Amino acid sequence: MQPARTDNTVSTGATSASIARLGARIKGFGPVLGLLSLCIAGTLLNGDFATVDNLMNVLTRTAFIGIIAVGMTFVIISGGIDLSVGSMAALIAGCMIYFMNALAQGAGGNLAPITMLVLGIAMALILGAGFGLMHGLLISKGNIEPFIVTLGTLGIFRAVLTYLADGGALTLDATLSELYSPVYYTSVLGAPIPIWIFLFVAAAGAVILNRTTFGRHVQAIGSNEQVARYAAINVDRVKIATYMLLGVCVGIATVLYVPRLGSATPTTGLLWELEAIAAVVVGGTALKGGEGRIVGTVIGAILLSVISNILNLTSIISVYLNAAVQGVVIIAVAFLQRGRK
């Protein structure tokens, strides 16, 4: 005969559960607390940090990486990775400029400049989706590890851009550049357009991840791919869709980035993959897949931009070590996640 459960046992169990829930909540607010701490430190170190102009600069800088990081969140949650996004953005930018210049120099006939811009933007998005489709097919149907596929295309994309630019720069036609520049420099309700696009993409990503069947399938595959197959989830189709979604996000980021300088060079998008992955993991997404939040990714992207901004304003260490700081952040977060399933 088993002894009856005492009130003390029940109380102890309830207390342990409450402590576990509190710990989970605190852990979830980790990136937010880190961001707030950095903002306070930045303000104390340099008064210019807390100005509106600097805030807009930080958020605009965040927009490009943040948009890519939203797509990267889906890929990492599904158990994948993409190391090529920076090179992909560079090639898309180069192809976009090359295409629009060809239209402006006569190949487009009597097309209006605004039509040329629209065609160039459409081309960027189609290329992004196409590159993502290629990655998805090679990974799912070709049974090649994501690391290998995207490491290979990382070199291919940047080499093709270098070839198109003949080792130099591809520069957008002056008339088109003047027409296109407001996409980056114009503000709406006090905030530059890239910030609004970033917020829209993040909101759409959060809805897709948390409120759709596709989002649930992405998380299920990342948690346990074999069980997902037993549950009749089309794993290959979902994986392909995640890489296509990331490719479209890269295309959107590139569309917003090109009017900033009006050119593409072999160094365009350099180390963007490092920043995007860092934003995702700092935001709380498990590198092993199965768990993640778009809100966390947004906070992670802003946090990394704030770190770079503080380093630039205070000269605590050389600005050339920004990438090293981001690398240390990735390793540190991966170390803290090592026990997560």
Side-chain angles (χ1 to χ4, degrees):
M1 182 176 182
Q2 294 182 348
R5 179 178 296 178
T6 64
D7 291 341
N8 288 338
T9 303
V10 175
S11 177
T12 301
T15 302
S16 299
S18 299
I19 293 174
R21 286 194 296 269
L22 179 61
R25 290 179 181 177
I26 293 174
K27 187 175 181 179
F29 281 105
V32 177
L33 296 175
L35 179 58
L36 290 175
S37 300
L38 280 172
C39 289
I40 293 172
T43 302
L44 294 175
L45 290 170
N46 191 316
D48 292 335
F49 174 82
T51 62
V52 174
D53 288 343
N54 187 60
L55 175 62
M56 291 297 105
N57 177 57
V58 169
L59 292 178
T60 303
R61 171 67 181 83
T62 303
F64 310 116
I65 300 302
I67 290 171
I68 295 174
V70 169
M72 186 71 77
T73 303
F74 284 86
V75 170
I76 292 179
I77 289 177
S78 70
I81 195 74
D82 192 332
L83 304 178
S84 71
V85 291
S87 298
M88 185 191 301
L91 179 57
I92 292 174
C95 290
M96 184 181 178
I97 292 172
Y98 193 90
F99 176 64
M100 289 192 292
N101 283 348
L103 293 177
Q105 291 168 6
N110 296 321
L111 291 178
I114 187 65
T115 303
M116 299 178 191
L117 282 182
V118 171
L119 290 175
I121 291 171
M123 179 187 183
L125 300 179
I126 292 171
L127 276 177
F131 291 148
L133 174 62
M134 178 182 69
H135 284 159
L137 289 173
L138 287 171
I139 291 165
S140 61
K141 301 298 184 181
N143 292 319
I144 308 174
E145 288 295 323
F147 177 86
I148 299 300
V149 171
T150 58
L151 183 63
T153 54
L154 178 152
I156 294 171
F157 291 154
R158 199 166 293 280
V160 172
L161 171 65
T162 304
Y163 169 77
L164 290 176
D166 196 23
L170 286 170
T171 303
L172 186 61
D173 176 82
T175 301
L176 293 177
S177 181
E178 183 178 355
L179 182 63
Y180 196 7
S181 61
V183 171
Y184 177 82
Y185 292 102
T186 300
S187 294
V188 176
L189 299 178
I193 291 176
I195 296 176
W196 291 112
I197 300 297
F198 174 34
L199 293 176
F200 175 79
V201 170
V207 171
I208 293 172
L209 182 62
N210 300 316
R211 303 293 181 182
T212 67
T213 300
F214 171 73
R216 290 191 293 272
H217 287 178
V218 169
Q219 296 176 66
I221 292 170
S223 296
N224 193 314
E225 182 175 324
Q226 196 59 43
V227 171
R229 292 185 186 276
Y230 290 148
I233 295 176
N234 192 324
V235 174
D236 290 348
R237 183 181 299 172
V238 172
K239 284 186 175 182
I240 291 171
T242 60
Y243 281 96
M244 289 184 68
L245 179 61
L246 174 55
V248 171
C249 286
V250 174
I252 294 172
T254 305
V255 166
L256 297 174
Y257 183 80
V258 167
R260 180 189 180 198
L261 300 175
S263 64
T265 69
T267 60
T268 297
L270 193 64
L271 295 181
W272 279 14
E273 56 278 346
L274 174 66
E275 296 182 59
I277 294 171
V280 174
V281 298
V282 168
T285 296
L287 275 171
K288 295 181 180 179
E291 179 186 353
R293 298 179 306 151
I294 298 297
V295 173
T297 295
V298 171
I299 295 171
I302 297 174
L303 188 149
L304 290 173
S305 291
V306 167
I307 291 175
S308 296
N309 185 250
I310 291 174
L311 294 179
N312 290 336
L313 290 176
T314 61
S315 299
I316 295 175
I317 63 173
S318 172
V319 295
Y320 299 116
L321 292 175
N322 283 356
V325 173
Q326 292 167 354
V328 170
V329 169
I330 291 179
I331 294 172
V333 174
F335 177 78
L336 295 174
Q337 289 185 358
R338 66 193 187 283
R340 290 172 63 178
K341 300 296 183 183

